[in-house]
Amino acid sequence: SVVVPFGTGADATQKEVAKLPAGAVMGEMSLVLGKPRSATCVVFSDGASLAEITRTAMVKLLDARPSLAKELEDLVLVKENKNYLAADNAAAMAAYRQRGAVSTRRAE
């Protein structure tokens, strides 16, 4: 599972935002964009394997396989767009509800 922390200190909570299938990649956005990571991977299965690739190892790998750089860039762009759309949709829905156009309560 991928969990994202919200808040700090005693008020901190975590929310699961994704369940990764076998062979999934995580952390590529931080690696490629140089930004701090925004999520944590939590393994709940005894049969799961997790591999960490350092920035130094990734640079060596990309030097050895330049085509991989394009694949990684494409993966980051797709994920970044997906995250942007999800955030934009959530903000739009919140604003829409705030105006009273949509009620989350059931009519009685």
Side-chain angles (χ1 to χ4, degrees), residues 44-58:
F44 291 106
S45 171
D46 290 338
S49 297
L50 188 65
E52 178 182 3
I53 301 175
T54 64
R55 184 177 301 279
T56 302
M58 185 56 111

PDB file of all heavy atoms in Angstrom, residues 44-58:
ATOM      1  N   PHE A  44       2.412  -5.150   3.372  1.00  0.00           N
ATOM      2  CA  PHE A  44       1.568  -5.935   4.272  1.00  0.00           C
ATOM      3  C   PHE A  44       1.617  -7.430   3.972  1.00  0.00           C
ATOM      4  O   PHE A  44       0.987  -8.206   4.649  1.00  0.00           O
ATOM      5  CB  PHE A  44       0.113  -5.468   4.175  1.00  0.00           C
ATOM      6  CG  PHE A  44      -0.102  -4.096   4.746  1.00  0.00           C
ATOM      7  CD1 PHE A  44      -0.298  -3.018   3.911  1.00  0.00           C
ATOM      8  CD2 PHE A  44      -0.096  -3.888   6.118  1.00  0.00           C
ATOM      9  CE1 PHE A  44      -0.502  -1.744   4.435  1.00  0.00           C
ATOM     10  CE2 PHE A  44      -0.294  -2.625   6.645  1.00  0.00           C
ATOM     11  CZ  PHE A  44      -0.496  -1.558   5.807  1.00  0.00           C
ATOM     12  N   SER A  45       2.344  -7.821   2.939  1.00  0.00           N
ATOM     13  CA  SER A  45       2.376  -9.219   2.529  1.00  0.00           C
ATOM     14  C   SER A  45       3.734  -9.839   2.834  1.00  0.00           C
ATOM     15  O   SER A  45       4.776  -9.241   2.550  1.00  0.00           O
ATOM     16  CB  SER A  45       2.098  -9.314   1.032  1.00  0.00           C
ATOM     17  OG  SER A  45       2.327 -10.622   0.576  1.00  0.00           O
ATOM     18  N   ASP A  46       3.724 -11.041   3.387  1.00  0.00           N
ATOM     19  CA  ASP A  46       4.976 -11.740   3.653  1.00  0.00           C
ATOM     20  C   ASP A  46       5.691 -12.111   2.364  1.00  0.00           C
ATOM     21  O   ASP A  46       6.903 -12.247   2.335  1.00  0.00           O
ATOM     22  CB  ASP A  46       4.717 -13.006   4.474  1.00  0.00           C
ATOM     23  CG  ASP A  46       4.287 -12.699   5.899  1.00  0.00           C
ATOM     24  OD1 ASP A  46       4.587 -11.586   6.386  1.00  0.00           O
ATOM     25  OD2 ASP A  46       3.646 -13.563   6.520  1.00  0.00           O
ATOM     26  N   GLY A  47       4.955 -12.263   1.284  1.00  0.00           N
ATOM     27  CA  GLY A  47       5.535 -12.670   0.014  1.00  0.00           C
ATOM     28  C   GLY A  47       6.035 -11.515  -0.843  1.00  0.00           C
ATOM     29  O   GLY A  47       6.511 -11.731  -1.954  1.00  0.00           O
ATOM     30  N   ALA A  48       5.934 -10.308  -0.349  1.00  0.00           N
ATOM     31  CA  ALA A  48       6.324  -9.139  -1.141  1.00  0.00           C
ATOM     32  C   ALA A  48       7.831  -8.911  -1.086  1.00  0.00           C
ATOM     33  O   ALA A  48       8.483  -9.188  -0.087  1.00  0.00           O
ATOM     34  CB  ALA A  48       5.607  -7.899  -0.630  1.00  0.00           C
ATOM     35  N   SER A  49       8.355  -8.399  -2.177  1.00  0.00           N
ATOM     36  CA  SER A  49       9.762  -7.999  -2.240  1.00  0.00           C
ATOM     37  C   SER A  49       9.812  -6.520  -2.574  1.00  0.00           C
ATOM     38  O   SER A  49       9.036  -6.030  -3.383  1.00  0.00           O
ATOM     39  CB  SER A  49      10.502  -8.777  -3.336  1.00  0.00           C
ATOM     40  OG  SER A  49      10.517 -10.147  -3.049  1.00  0.00           O
ATOM     41  N   LEU A  50      10.725  -5.839  -1.951  1.00  0.00           N
ATOM     42  CA  LEU A  50      10.867  -4.407  -2.154  1.00  0.00           C
ATOM     43  C   LEU A  50      12.325  -4.121  -2.448  1.00  0.00           C
ATOM     44  O   LEU A  50      13.207  -4.633  -1.768  1.00  0.00           O
ATOM     45  CB  LEU A  50      10.417  -3.676  -0.886  1.00  0.00           C
ATOM     46  CG  LEU A  50      10.309  -2.173  -0.927  1.00  0.00           C
ATOM     47  CD1 LEU A  50       9.221  -1.739  -1.901  1.00  0.00           C
ATOM     48  CD2 LEU A  50       9.985  -1.643   0.463  1.00  0.00           C
ATOM     49  N   ALA A  51      12.598  -3.343  -3.481  1.00  0.00           N
ATOM     50  CA  ALA A  51      13.971  -3.001  -3.837  1.00  0.00           C
ATOM     51  C   ALA A  51      14.131  -1.487  -3.826  1.00  0.00           C
ATOM     52  O   ALA A  51      13.266  -0.764  -4.311  1.00  0.00           O
ATOM     53  CB  ALA A  51      14.315  -3.547  -5.216  1.00  0.00           C
ATOM     54  N   GLU A  52      15.217  -1.033  -3.261  1.00  0.00           N
ATOM     55  CA  GLU A  52      15.523   0.401  -3.251  1.00  0.00           C
ATOM     56  C   GLU A  52      16.647   0.657  -4.240  1.00  0.00           C
ATOM     57  O   GLU A  52      17.648  -0.054  -4.253  1.00  0.00           O
ATOM     58  CB  GLU A  52      15.966   0.842  -1.859  1.00  0.00           C
ATOM     59  CG  GLU A  52      16.333   2.304  -1.806  1.00  0.00           C
ATOM     60  CD  GLU A  52      16.830   2.742  -0.430  1.00  0.00           C
ATOM     61  OE1 GLU A  52      16.952   1.904   0.465  1.00  0.00           O
ATOM     62  OE2 GLU A  52      17.097   3.943  -0.271  1.00  0.00           O
ATOM     63  N   ILE A  53      16.443   1.660  -5.079  1.00  0.00           N
ATOM     64  CA  ILE A  53      17.472   2.050  -6.039  1.00  0.00           C
ATOM     65  C   ILE A  53      17.905   3.465  -5.690  1.00  0.00           C
ATOM     66  O   ILE A  53      17.088   4.390  -5.711  1.00  0.00           O
ATOM     67  CB  ILE A  53      16.940   2.003  -7.491  1.00  0.00           C
ATOM     68  CG1 ILE A  53      16.452   0.596  -7.817  1.00  0.00           C
ATOM     69  CG2 ILE A  53      18.025   2.452  -8.465  1.00  0.00           C
ATOM     70  CD1 ILE A  53      15.795   0.474  -9.170  1.00  0.00           C
ATOM     71  N   THR A  54      19.156   3.635  -5.349  1.00  0.00           N
ATOM     72  CA  THR A  54      19.670   4.960  -4.980  1.00  0.00           C
ATOM     73  C   THR A  54      19.806   5.832  -6.224  1.00  0.00           C
ATOM     74  O   THR A  54      19.826   5.330  -7.358  1.00  0.00           O
ATOM     75  CB  THR A  54      21.047   4.854  -4.307  1.00  0.00           C
ATOM     76  OG1 THR A  54      21.982   4.324  -5.257  1.00  0.00           O
ATOM     77  CG2 THR A  54      20.990   3.967  -3.058  1.00  0.00           C
ATOM     78  N   ARG A  55      19.910   7.123  -6.023  1.00  0.00           N
ATOM     79  CA  ARG A  55      20.079   8.054  -7.136  1.00  0.00           C
ATOM     80  C   ARG A  55      21.363   7.709  -7.909  1.00  0.00           C
ATOM     81  O   ARG A  55      21.384   7.708  -9.143  1.00  0.00           O
ATOM     82  CB  ARG A  55      20.128   9.498  -6.639  1.00  0.00           C
ATOM     83  CG  ARG A  55      20.201  10.514  -7.765  1.00  0.00           C
ATOM     84  CD  ARG A  55      20.171  11.939  -7.257  1.00  0.00           C
ATOM     85  NE  ARG A  55      18.982  12.250  -6.482  1.00  0.00           N
ATOM     86  CZ  ARG A  55      17.785  12.567  -6.995  1.00  0.00           C
ATOM     87  NH1 ARG A  55      17.634  12.604  -8.288  1.00  0.00           N
ATOM     88  NH2 ARG A  55      16.765  12.841  -6.224  1.00  0.00           N
ATOM     89  N   THR A  56      22.437   7.383  -7.189  1.00  0.00           N
ATOM     90  CA  THR A  56      23.709   7.039  -7.828  1.00  0.00           C
ATOM     91  C   THR A  56      23.555   5.809  -8.714  1.00  0.00           C
ATOM     92  O   THR A  56      24.015   5.791  -9.859  1.00  0.00           O
ATOM     93  CB  THR A  56      24.784   6.779  -6.752  1.00  0.00           C
ATOM     94  OG1 THR A  56      24.901   7.950  -5.943  1.00  0.00           O
ATOM     95  CG2 THR A  56      26.126   6.455  -7.373  1.00  0.00           C
ATOM     96  N   ALA A  57      22.879   4.777  -8.195  1.00  0.00           N
ATOM     97  CA  ALA A  57      22.664   3.559  -8.989  1.00  0.00           C
ATOM     98  C   ALA A  57      21.781   3.854 -10.197  1.00  0.00           C
ATOM     99  O   ALA A  57      22.008   3.310 -11.287  1.00  0.00           O
ATOM    100  CB  ALA A  57      22.039   2.478  -8.117  1.00  0.00           C
ATOM    101  N   MET A  58      20.784   4.717 -10.038  1.00  0.00           N
ATOM    102  CA  MET A  58      19.886   5.051 -11.141  1.00  0.00           C
ATOM    103  C   MET A  58      20.638   5.805 -12.238  1.00  0.00           C
ATOM    104  O   MET A  58      20.426   5.540 -13.425  1.00  0.00           O
ATOM    105  CB  MET A  58      18.700   5.871 -10.642  1.00  0.00           C
ATOM    106  CG  MET A  58      17.689   6.132 -11.721  1.00  0.00           C
ATOM    107  SD  MET A  58      17.090   4.621 -12.499  1.00  0.00           S
ATOM    108  CE  MET A  58      15.442   4.579 -11.929  1.00  0.00           C
TER     109      MET A  58
END
